[in-house]
Amino acid sequence: MNFWRSLPKSTRRLLIIIGLPILLVSSCKAIFIPTTEKRYRLEISVEIDGKNYTGGAVQQLTATGAAEIFRGLSQTSAHYEFYGEAAAIDLGEHGTLYALMRYPPPADKPTAFHLAKRYYSAFVPTVCGLRVGRFGYAVFIWRIRMLWNDCEVPIDELPMLVRFANEPELDSVEQVDPKNLAATYGPSAKFLGAKISFTREPLSTEIEKRLPWMEAQKNTIFVLKYDPKKPQLKDIVNRTYFIR
């Protein structure tokens, strides 16, 4: 305060003239173009041979939305980014089951691995039943910010599940159907449930220790090798499916 009073009146006036518009713009941005970060733990449970296995990972959604008055200024009124790593469920002698940070291909094109029913960034609002209403994206983002109760994940909204027949080898990746775990793990295997719980825990950082092949793919630009005549999951899955 003493420093402020020691300044010449002309300097104080200039600082006020410069500072007020900046403060006003910042306030308007917070109101009309809000941004929120929601950190959550995705947890999945399965049963094999009468034993329950549960695992997961902490991920983060960052969402920015624009009020209706700004809709004409851009092609979209919301922007999503997501961070973290794939949820890992340690199944003991049965290996590890991974829930990728991608959705599976559409049911009518089960081998079209390059297609997904929606972007994974919509995972949290979809699972928690949020929809963009008549008040627009700005209010929608505020509703995401207010989420704190656990949300059950329907089996149809699960990310793509995979396992590795030989975990050190990326080429051994196999897709796992949560509705038919018995096809992969035997007749006793079944899906028990999944949920997301909002948290302030740090993001999970363990997956690179589990999958040593990821180190070689750091700073790599991936080119889609998808062949529609001979679709292979191993040609599609890469580091970006496991960590963001």
Side-chain angles (χ1 to χ4, degrees), residues 83-157:
Y83 308 93
E85 64 183 30
I89 304 93
D90 189 340
L91 305 177
E93 63 183 74
H94 303 284
T96 303
L97 179 65
Y98 296 94
L100 303 184
M101 299 189 77
R102 302 277 183 133
Y103 271 123
D108 59 336
K109 297 180 180 179
T111 57
F113 301 116
H114 64 303
L115 298 176
K117 58 183 178 180
R118 67 174 64 86
Y119 290 114
Y120 186 70
S121 53
F123 176 64
V124 171
T126 299
V127 167
C128 293
L130 296 185
R131 300 291 185 272
V132 179
R134 60 189 180 92
F135 295 107
Y137 283 93
V139 174
F140 179 64
I141 299 303
W142 280 101
R143 291 179 65 198
I144 293 176
R145 180 177 296 179
M146 298 304 293
L147 287 172
W148 280 110
N149 294 329
D150 293 355
C151 299
E152 297 295 323
V153 181
I155 195 168
D156 289 330
E157 296 297 339

Side-chain angles (χ1 to χ4, degrees), residues 138-223:
V139 174
F140 179 64
I141 299 303
W142 280 101
R143 291 179 65 198
I144 293 176
R145 180 177 296 179
M146 298 304 293
L147 287 172
W148 280 110
N149 294 329
D150 293 355
C151 299
E152 297 295 323
V153 181
I155 195 168
D156 289 330
E157 296 297 339
L158 282 173
M160 184 190 294
L161 302 183
V162 301
R163 72 159 188 170
F164 294 90
N166 180 17
E167 194 150 287
E169 299 295 333
L170 174 58
D171 287 353
S172 69
V173 65
E174 302 172 349
Q175 187 172 356
V176 177
D177 183 357
K179 295 181 179 179
N180 187 19
L181 292 180
T184 303
Y185 297 109
S188 67
K190 60 182 178 181
F191 172 73
L192 296 180
K195 67 177 181 179
I196 58 175
S197 305
F198 296 99
T199 181
R200 291 188 174 91
E201 296 177 43
L203 296 176
S204 299
T205 57
E206 298 294 322
I207 201 160
E208 288 184 284
K209 299 175 184 177
R210 290 178 173 270
L211 302 173
W213 54 263
M214 292 182 64
E215 178 66 25
Q217 292 192 354
K218 274 188 175 180
N219 304 316
T220 299
I221 298 176
F222 296 99
V223 178

Side-chain angles (χ1 to χ4, degrees), residues 100 102-103 105 111-115 160 170-171 173 217 222-228 230-242:
L100 303 184
R102 302 277 183 133
Y103 271 123
T111 57
F113 301 116
H114 64 303
L115 298 176
M160 184 190 294
L170 174 58
D171 287 353
V173 65
Q217 292 192 354
F222 296 99
V223 178
L224 188 65
K225 298 185 293 182
Y226 176 74
D227 181 353
K230 297 180 180 180
Q232 297 290 326
L233 183 59
K234 65 182 180 64
D235 293 331
I236 304 299
V237 172
N238 55 50
R239 177 186 173 87
T240 63
Y241 279 53
F242 289 85

